[in-house]
């Protein structure tokens, strides 16, 4: 299908900066793909806030700009921006509500703080309000108002974020940021100064294992509900198969976040066969 310049911009941004989600988006029905990519591109804009600002107040200003931008989309005063243009079309075509988009922005406030989440429940809440809510919105474009499908997407997206945070421990440590829950750091005797110095420890591995166990539980819950998810909607859950590959790599490293091997791109043929079989 032919893309508009704005849709092409979103596709290229997602392909360049969020390749796994780009791969998953390829399995969306052709007529829904631009909508999915628009939502993912919007998520990229707000998720990168901490990385592109020099201080917290500038991050607050950027997030507020996006809040006002979302308000404008619903008030009929859209701003000029390729992601905004495509997101506007997506909102109108699929009757997307304003509140979940606002929650995506609000959840990114946590990225501007340097304190880790208090416990695993707080981490899961952050993961759900960011990645989980994003995938639920994509699912709404595929299966309008299907609560079962949206709940499945929210769980898969939440698991994906938890796995991603486990994989990114080294990257975040170099920026003096920690997303491993405080109670796990305490329970396993992980000293933050050692973590921020990129030093491995058995306790750190066990903390990562606890995070991965929770992510796997969420994926297990979703797969147990496959018969209740409409077959076409399962195309929106292909991130689950990609998550399995990253979990395998983390296990091979014995949950040492600094030793996780690079995961080669998922074979498209294998993903295609899973999608055709109605699996994810």
């Amino acid at each position: 299908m032919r893309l508009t310049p704005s849709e092409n911009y979103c596709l290229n941004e997602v392909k360049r900066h969020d390749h796994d989600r780009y791969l998953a988006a390829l399995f969306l029905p052709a007529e829904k793909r631009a909508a999915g990519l628009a939502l993912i591109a919007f998520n990229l804009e707000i998720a990168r806030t901490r990385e592109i600002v020099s201080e917290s107040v500038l991050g607050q200003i950027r997030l507020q700009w996006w809040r006002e931008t979302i308000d404008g989309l619903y008030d009929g005063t859209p701003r000029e921006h390729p992601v905004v243009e495509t997101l506007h079309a997506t909102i109108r075509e699929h009757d997307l509500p304003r509140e979940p988009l606002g929650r995506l922005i609000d959840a990114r406030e946590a990225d501007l703080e340097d304190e880790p989440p208090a416990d695993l429940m707080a981490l899961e809440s952050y993961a759900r309000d960011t990645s989980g809510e994003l995938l639920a919105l994509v699912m709404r474009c595929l299966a309008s108002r299907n609560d079962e499908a949206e709940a499945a997407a929210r769980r898969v997206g939440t698991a994906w974020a938890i796995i991603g945070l486990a994989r990114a421990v080294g990257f975040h440590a170099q920026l003096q940021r920690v997303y491993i829950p405080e109670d796990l750091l305490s329970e396993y005797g992980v000293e933050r100064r050692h973590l921020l110095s990129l030093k491995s420890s058995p306790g750190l591995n066990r903390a990562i294992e606890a995070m991965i166990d929770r992510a796997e539980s969420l994926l297990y819950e979703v797969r147990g509900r496959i018969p209740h998810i409409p077959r076409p909607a399962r195309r929106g859950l292909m991130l689950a198969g990609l998550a399995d590959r990253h979990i395998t790599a983390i296990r091979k490293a014995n949950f040492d976040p600094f030793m996780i091997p690079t995961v080669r791109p998922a074979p498209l043929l294998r993903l295609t066969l899973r999608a055709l079989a109605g699996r994810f």
Side-chain angles (χ1 to χ4, degrees), residues 136-201:
L137 280 166
V138 174
M139 182 59 75
R140 183 174 289 228
C141 297
L142 270 67
S144 180
R145 307 193 187 285
N146 186 302
D147 292 342
E148 188 76 48
E150 285 188 35
R154 197 169 282 108
R155 286 188 176 91
V156 170
T158 301
W160 180 259
I162 293 172
I163 294 165
L165 291 170
R167 294 171 57 222
V169 166
F171 170 75
H172 288 138
Q174 292 179 67
L175 299 174
Q176 303 298 292
R177 294 161 59 191
V178 179
Y179 284 90
I180 302 172
E182 186 70 58
D183 67 335
L184 293 180
L185 296 176
S186 177
E187 178 179 355
Y188 295 112
V190 181
E191 294 190 36
R192 196 180 304 188
R193 61 190 177 91
H194 288 160
L195 171 58
L196 296 178
S197 298
L198 308 183
K199 293 182 179 179
S200 300
S201 70

Side-chain angles (χ1 to χ4, degrees), residues 5 11 15 23 29 48 53 60 73 110 119 126 129 135 138 157 159 163 183 185 192 225 264 271:
L11 182 150
K15 185 176 182 179
L23 283 179
R48 290 184 292 179
V53 299
Q60 296 283 1
L73 292 182
D119 50 34
Y126 166 81
D129 291 344
L135 198 56
V138 174
I163 294 165
D183 67 335
L185 296 176
R192 196 180 304 188
R225 302 290 297 175
R264 288 188 289 180
L271 289 174

Side-chain angles (χ1 to χ4, degrees), residues 51-117:
E51 277 68 49
I52 63 177
V53 299
S54 56
E55 52 186 279
S56 179
V57 66
L58 296 178
Q60 296 283 1
I61 292 171
R62 180 179 172 84
L63 292 178
Q64 183 58 30
W65 186 91
W66 276 104
R67 287 190 187 92
E68 294 170 0
T69 297
I70 295 300
D71 288 341
L73 292 182
Y74 287 90
D75 297 340
T77 56
R79 287 170 164 162
E80 292 188 11
H81 188 289
V83 173
V84 175
E85 181 178 327
T86 310
L87 185 61
H88 192 202
T90 298
I91 289 170
R92 288 183 298 175
E93 181 178 355
H94 300 286
D95 192 26
L96 297 182
R98 183 187 310 203
E99 290 75 14
L101 294 167
R103 284 199 296 272
L104 281 173
I105 299 172
D106 292 344
R108 291 297 172 180
E109 296 271 1
D111 294 337
L112 303 178
E113 306 295 333
D114 290 326
E115 291 302 310

Side-chain angles (χ1 to χ4, degrees), residues 142 226-236 273-280:
L142 270 67
I226 284 180
H228 303 278
I229 303 170
R231 194 179 182 92
R234 298 175 197 173
R235 293 292 189 95
L273 291 174
R274 291 171 71 98
L276 291 174
R279 296 185 293 114
F280 47 82

